[in-house]
Amino acid sequence: MKKLLNLFDFKQKVDYKTEILSGLTVALALVPEAIAFALIPGFSPLTGLYAAFVLALITSIFGGRPGMISGATGAVAVIFIGLILELKRNFPGITPETILNYVFATVIIAGVLQILAGVLRLGKFIRLVPHPVMFGFVNGLAIIIFMAQFPNFYIKDTTDLLPWPSFFMMLGLTIVTMAIIWGLPKLTKAVPSTLVAIVIVSALVIGFNIDTLTVAGIMKEGQTIKGGFPPLSIPNIPLTFESFKIIFPFAAIVAGVGLIESLLTLNIIDEITDTRGSGNKECVAQGSANILSGFLSGMGGCAMIGQSLINTSSGARARLSGITAAVMLLVFIMFGSSLIERLPMAALVGLMFMVAIGTFEWASFKTFKKMPNSDVIVMVLVTLITAITHNLAIAVLLGVIISALMYSWENAKRIRARKSVDANGVKTYEIYGPLFFGSTTAFTEKFDVPNDPEEIIIDFRESRVADMSGIEALNKLTERYRKVNKKVHLKHLSKDCLKLLENADAIIDVNVLEDPTYKVVADRFK
């Protein structure tokens, strides 16, 4: 029986020291991000931290990709802004506590939808994402991670830079962090350079009492990360159709965004580790984690590419690192809040800068002259849409749509017809290339109906009718020939095509032994 926990699968070699130290590093990096993402829609820092703990733990144990880290994310947090505005429009005077109950209900419903996606095995559709879209997604995400660190160099809640002494201190400590992360692996890989960098810079700041921005400084006055075990939070909302109608669209968006980001991150980690994860298993794990997060006062989330890259770059390959990160995060919340709040943001900013640099696909620049222009356009568009809108789902979906349209356009130009007339005066059109919605116009232009002889053969041996548009094009063409009393033989069509053709009985010469059996994509019948 296949074991669920790689940690206890003794066939896999697990470097326990690397896994634990990497998990500790990830936990430290999770704190400021979870706080920042919780503050986007105006939630308490603990709402984000609880979500990070629950998602990291559940997906690390049951997820489809060992080494991948999940938690509260900005892509999901932004969605709740729209939900809050919708709630305030429908329920004037709604209290923050009631809003949180609706948020928790939304996260739970989103989790149910994600589990359904996994059960229905929809995770495989992530394979439809073209490589240029993947490049664009990764590059756009790297830009987002990089740009998200800039507010730490500004006076809180303003667009003014820190005073010059504070600015240069922040910049200097950030550069020191980046230098340690870059240089230490060249000397030793005994411990993760990211953890060493955080420890050294934190020791400098705390030891010399350096006045610089800390984790406590990014929170609102009076807020803290100190808490207990995530409290049970059964959503207290009216069980009415009106409530469901308000939250369901947002739950569907949360589910979609979460799955797209998680499955794309899974693919990226697959490439880095040269292993294969399970998309459908990850869908179920993400859904289960979000359901539990909603019941344990968390805002929900999905896979985090930045934290996952920190983890894998530190050498973690098993589930232990993610479990360690989740457990250590809870330890910080329950027992180590005072110490964690003193950590300098410069150390964490430097870490995230290095993650952004490592995430960006610099090799994509070298492919500009090698890739087709259409792929370059798609990659650049997805990068820009991701970086500008911060909506990863929209960026990826638009990228897939644009890629599909460009592919259709290129294939539409490939259909051609070789014409010949035999000794009996029968004209044959040998069709090459796919007949589908994009190529129907070019297909019909190949035929000279008024001047063709009395008998015509259209041979599809080297072609395929791909969809209903192709069937309609054949119907219209055969109708044109019938109106001028000319006989048409359609050869090498599938039985599926024959059933869908309106004029089959009157005009088609069927060669049963040679006709193929492929299916036509048809969503309607005339």
Side-chain angles (χ1 to χ4, degrees), residues 192-508:
S193 61
T194 49
L195 179 59
V196 173
I198 293 173
V199 170
I200 289 177
V201 173
S202 299
L204 287 173
V205 170
I206 296 173
F208 291 97
N209 198 25
I210 297 174
D211 184 17
T212 187
L213 181 66
T214 63
V215 170
I218 68 173
M219 294 186 286
K220 295 179 181 178
E221 188 175 351
Q223 289 184 331
T224 179
I225 68 169
K226 183 174 178 57
F229 191 85
L232 184 65
S233 56
I234 299 175
N236 183 19
I237 64 172
L239 298 178
T240 62
F241 180 72
E242 183 182 6
S243 297
F244 183 77
K245 187 172 64 174
I246 292 172
I247 64 177
F248 184 79
F250 293 97
I253 296 171
V254 169
V257 169
L259 288 184
I260 289 173
E261 189 166 350
S262 297
L263 293 175
L264 286 176
T265 301
L266 183 145
N267 276 2
I268 292 166
I269 303 302
D270 278 357
E271 291 184 10
I272 292 172
T273 60
D274 196 24
T275 55
R276 179 82 178 268
S278 170
N280 294 316
K281 189 175 180 181
E282 186 62 32
C283 291
V284 175
Q286 289 286 337
S288 302
N290 274 309
I291 291 173
L292 192 58
S293 175
F295 281 118
L296 291 177
S297 307
M299 59 184 281
C302 59
M304 307 176 74
I305 187 170
Q307 309 300 333
S308 300
L309 289 172
I310 291 173
N311 198 37
T312 53
S313 64
S314 298
R317 294 292 182 271
R319 299 182 185 274
L320 179 57
S321 55
I323 296 171
T324 301
V327 172
M328 289 307 301
L329 185 59
L330 184 61
V331 170
F332 295 157
I333 295 170
M334 297 177 69
F335 308 109
S337 59
S338 58
L339 179 61
I340 298 301
E341 288 174 0
R342 296 178 65 190
L343 289 180
M345 283 302 299
L348 301 172
V349 168
L351 169 59
M352 297 313 295
F353 274 158
M354 292 302 289
V355 169
I357 293 169
T359 301
F360 197 91
E361 288 281 359
W362 301 100
S364 60
F365 289 122
K366 298 179 182 178
T367 63
F368 274 23
K369 294 182 180 180
K370 300 178 182 179
M371 292 170 64
N373 290 334
S374 58
D375 285 349
V376 174
I377 291 170
V378 168
M379 182 175 68
V380 172
L381 279 176
V382 173
T383 299
L384 292 176
I385 294 170
T386 302
I388 293 171
T389 67
H390 291 206
N391 192 323
L392 306 178
I394 293 297
V396 171
L397 288 174
L398 286 177
V400 171
I401 291 170
I402 294 170
S403 295
L405 291 175
M406 288 183 170
Y407 174 81
S408 299
W409 175 258
E410 290 299 320
N411 275 274
K413 297 187 293 185
R414 292 178 183 173
I415 194 163
R416 59 195 190 279
R418 180 183 295 169
K419 306 167 189 176
S420 61
V421 180
D422 63 16
N424 298 319
V426 177
K427 188 173 184 179
T428 300
Y429 288 88
E430 295 178 73
I431 308 301
Y432 295 84
L435 178 56
F436 68 111
F437 68 89
S439 61
T440 53
T441 301
F443 170 75
T444 55
E445 290 175 351
K446 306 294 183 187
F447 298 90
D448 185 8
V449 177
N451 300 314
D452 275 345
E454 297 298 318
E455 193 169 0
I456 304 297
I457 297 175
I458 305 177
D459 192 342
F460 286 88
R461 183 189 297 271
E462 301 298 332
S463 179
R464 288 291 182 271
V465 181
D467 59 10
M468 200 63 194
S469 297
I471 293 292
E472 288 298 313
L474 282 176
N475 274 324
K476 291 177 181 177
L477 179 65
T478 52
E479 181 64 23
R480 288 169 60 196
Y481 276 110
R482 184 157 63 173
K483 285 181 178 178
V484 293
N485 297 315
K486 294 182 179 180
K487 184 72 173 178
V488 180
H489 305 275
L490 301 182
K491 299 181 67 175
H492 299 110
L493 284 175
S494 74
K495 294 179 180 179
D496 205 30
C497 290
L498 301 179
K499 290 178 181 177
L500 295 175
L501 284 170
E502 295 174 344
N503 305 316
D505 293 339
I507 62 170
I508 295 176

Side-chain angles (χ1 to χ4, degrees), residues 31-51 72-74 77 80 84 220 223 299:
V31 173
E33 291 210 351
I35 294 171
F37 295 145
L39 294 178
I40 288 174
F43 301 150
S44 161
L46 285 173
T47 307
L49 291 167
Y50 288 150
T73 58
F80 293 129
I84 292 169
K220 295 179 181 178
Q223 289 184 331
M299 59 184 281

